[in-house]
Amino acid sequence: MKLLERILKYQIITSLCVLTLGAVLFYFSVNYLINQEVNKELMRSKAKVSWQLRHIDELPVYILQLGDSLQLDPVRYPGQMALVERKLFNDIENEYQPYRQLVFYERVEGAWYRVTISKLLAQRQQLLEAVVMTVTFIVALLLISLLLLNSWLSRRLWQPFYKTLRALDSYQVEKHEVLTFSKQHTVEFEQLNQSVTQFTDRLAATYQNLKEFTENASHEIQTPLAVILSKIESLFQDESLRESQVLALSEISEAANRLAKLNQALLLLTKIENRQFLAGTEPINLVPIINRKLRDLEDLIEQREITVKTAIEPTGPVMHPALAEVLVNNLLTNAIRYNMNGGTIDITLHAARLVVRNTGAPIHIDPELMFERFRKEGTHSASLGLGLALVKTICQVNGQTLTYETDGPWHILTVTW
Amino acid sequence: MKLLLIEDEKALATSIQTYFQRENFICEWAANYRTAVEKINIYRYDCVLVDLMLPDGDGLEAVRELKRSFPETGIIIISAKNSLDDRITGLNLGSDDYLTKPFHLSELNARVQAVIRRRSFQGSQQIRFGKIQIDPQEHLALVDQQEIVLTRKEYDLLVYLIANKNRVLTKESIAEHLWGDDADLMDNFDFIYTHIKNLRKKLMDKGCPDYLKSIYGVGYKFSEQ
């Protein structure tokens, strides 16, 4: 939920609570005041009635207001004075209406009378409702207009924040971008923008450093390796070497070659992770890459008597062409390396999906673990154990998904984009 | 043939120089950008080998300089930088080839010979070794004027062997020359042996002496003795 929506939500909830509670309290307090007033009037009427009963034989009608009524009943014994509320039938309105009655006992000329003064509450009730409704309505209107003003103002005031957020959202460190913003009047937003600018500035510098470090490391490691390999090769030309020395040299040579390959593969992996290969805008057609690779690997495939079946349509993901090469290369070489002699490779490419299926020995671990660096099943000494890690990294960088499943003798690698 | 090697790593430079001297090439060495530019402007070379990262300058500048003064000189960039951008820039500037460090000297040798061959005029383009004659333009191999039918890999192998004649070639370097990055796909080098065996058989069928000598544990040597 958006920030402003959340704020609005809480504001509305609070307003509604306050409004409801306020309206109820207001109703009861007004009601109480009116009741008090009615009671006072009844007591006043009682005083008048008592006085008149004691001093005058007949009760004048005018002492009670319209709608009120007075009733005298002779009783044998007096009772307690009581104030009650009840509905009585009103002849004029022809319906039951609420009344408040004051019942008290008075002794007139030796006989006890129960005096009941009834007061019509209907008009007071209507007045009460009208007052509470009007006030509630005014307060509600005030709250709504305040909320509207508030949300409009928030949207306006928070605009720079959303601008910054959008800029951060589309930020790509590999573009060496530093985000800059126009000056803001709000101190907090100005502070935020300055922080973001400083942060991206540092980030770009660090990224540049890292990239340079990778390049330099490559240079620094490759050069001594080149020296080692060139010296070994020169030594091989020396005919005075004994056979055992030549054999040792040969093993050194193999190890050094392997080290060189490992270094190159790790550097490539680092470069991809550093996102130094930015995707273009056009999708890469994988068909020519697959065909070229299959042609290159033709004799290896033939030698191992592997059958290759292809069902490929001209399609492909949006990515750097060099990475597309590495992706296809590693998927195909993987399918050959871990195949069995006389096995099959099945390549399907269509509708945003590249599937490479190959026969091979079953693996005894979770296939997904094969994406880890230096993970090898079995003893393929020539393998660096980086092939599938490279494929995985390429897919991650380009937002593709890579899955590894096994189905009987089949190993199925699927790239989806 | 005269070569110029622009390379700041002395140990590597010595190996390369020694290697080419055995080939009867004159191989001069410039350890920095300044010397390199001086030499480029004074002498003429058949091929220049340039390292891109030099202590006092960018090797790519040396390539530009060379293209201005002697456009017919062959240029091979040897660099530890494998970044795609440098490779493309290098090739766009007119360098003939790009070799990433570390490399096999035999590979460098084969590339230098190929560049020199491409740059020289007709006639000298033919490769000869004993009874073997190769026309690189036609991809044709002849023994005593009779054509031998070779597969693409066998042809590449023959050219590579002749370029590195009288030298011990390791199996790794042969594998890398023929399969490039896929060389590590071969869990053992029996596969090279198959190609060597086929090539040897085809050559000997046409009356060629057995030039190929197998060196136990290391690789092969192609020589007339």
Side-chain angles (χ1 to χ4, degrees), chain A residues 211 215-216 218-220 222-227 229-234 236-239 243 246-247 250 253-255 257 260-261 264 271 276-277 293 295-300 303-304 320 322 329 332-334 336-337 380-384, chain B residues 7-12 14-16 19 22 51 53 80-86 100-107 152-153 166-173 176 179-187 189-191 194-195 215-218 221:
Chain A
K211 197 180 159 177
E215 294 279 345
N216 292 345
S218 158
H219 182 75
E220 296 306 324
Q222 304 287 61
T223 308
L225 269 173
V227 173
L229 284 171
S230 72
K231 295 293 172 197
I232 293 171
E233 230 180 317
S234 306
F236 273 133
Q237 314 306 329
D238 186 347
E239 282 171 9
E243 193 174 293
V246 170
L247 275 179
S250 168
S253 160
E254 254 173 62
N257 270 305
K261 288 222 177 70
Q264 264 163 359
K271 281 184 180 182
Q276 290 183 24
F277 298 94
K293 201 64 219 164
R295 209 164 49 239
D296 285 349
L297 295 167
E298 195 174 56
D299 47 352
L300 272 167
Q303 190 228 6
R304 302 194 55 188
H320 193 286
N329 196 4
L332 294 187
T333 50
N334 186 70
I336 294 172
R337 171 176 285 138
H380 285 268
S381 60
S383 155
L384 295 174
Chain B
E7 163 67 58
D8 60 328
E9 186 65 41
K10 187 168 182 289
L12 183 61
T14 330
S15 296
I16 295 174
Y19 204 90
R22 277 194 52 168
D51 183 1
M53 281 168 112
K81 280 189 182 176
N82 191 14
S83 76
L84 207 71
D85 296 344
D86 284 321
T100 312
K101 279 186 196 171
F103 45 78
H104 294 279
L105 292 177
S106 43
E107 181 65 38
R152 203 157 50 96
K153 286 277 185 304
N166 303 323
R167 285 174 195 281
V168 177
L169 282 175
T170 60
K171 285 173 290 193
E172 290 96 355
S173 89
E176 261 191 58
W179 290 282
D181 287 341
D182 303 326
D184 61 338
L185 259 187
M186 283 156 290
D187 293 335
F189 292 101
D190 291 349
F191 194 41
T194 321
H195 283 267
I215 294 167
Y216 179 71
V218 181
K221 190 171 178 177

Side-chain angles (χ1 to χ4, degrees), chain A residues 13-56:
Chain A
I13 289 173
T14 320
S15 309
L16 279 177
C17 288
V18 169
L19 192 63
T20 320
L21 207 68
V24 169
L25 272 175
F26 186 63
Y27 174 84
F28 280 111
S29 66
V30 172
N31 197 24
Y32 174 76
L33 283 176
I34 288 176
N35 276 345
Q36 288 292 101
E37 200 51 43
V38 170
N39 290 351
K40 253 188 236 165
E41 274 176 30
L42 278 172
M43 290 318 275
R44 266 200 298 277
S45 299
K46 175 190 173 235
K48 280 182 195 162
V49 169
S50 301
W51 187 83
Q52 290 200 347
L53 276 176
R54 261 179 252 131
H55 298 89
I56 305 161

Side-chain angles (χ1 to χ4, degrees), chain B residues 128-133 211 224:
Chain B
R128 281 168 201 281
F129 181 84
K131 289 191 170 188
I132 306 166
Q133 192 183 342
Y211 295 130
E224 280 193 272

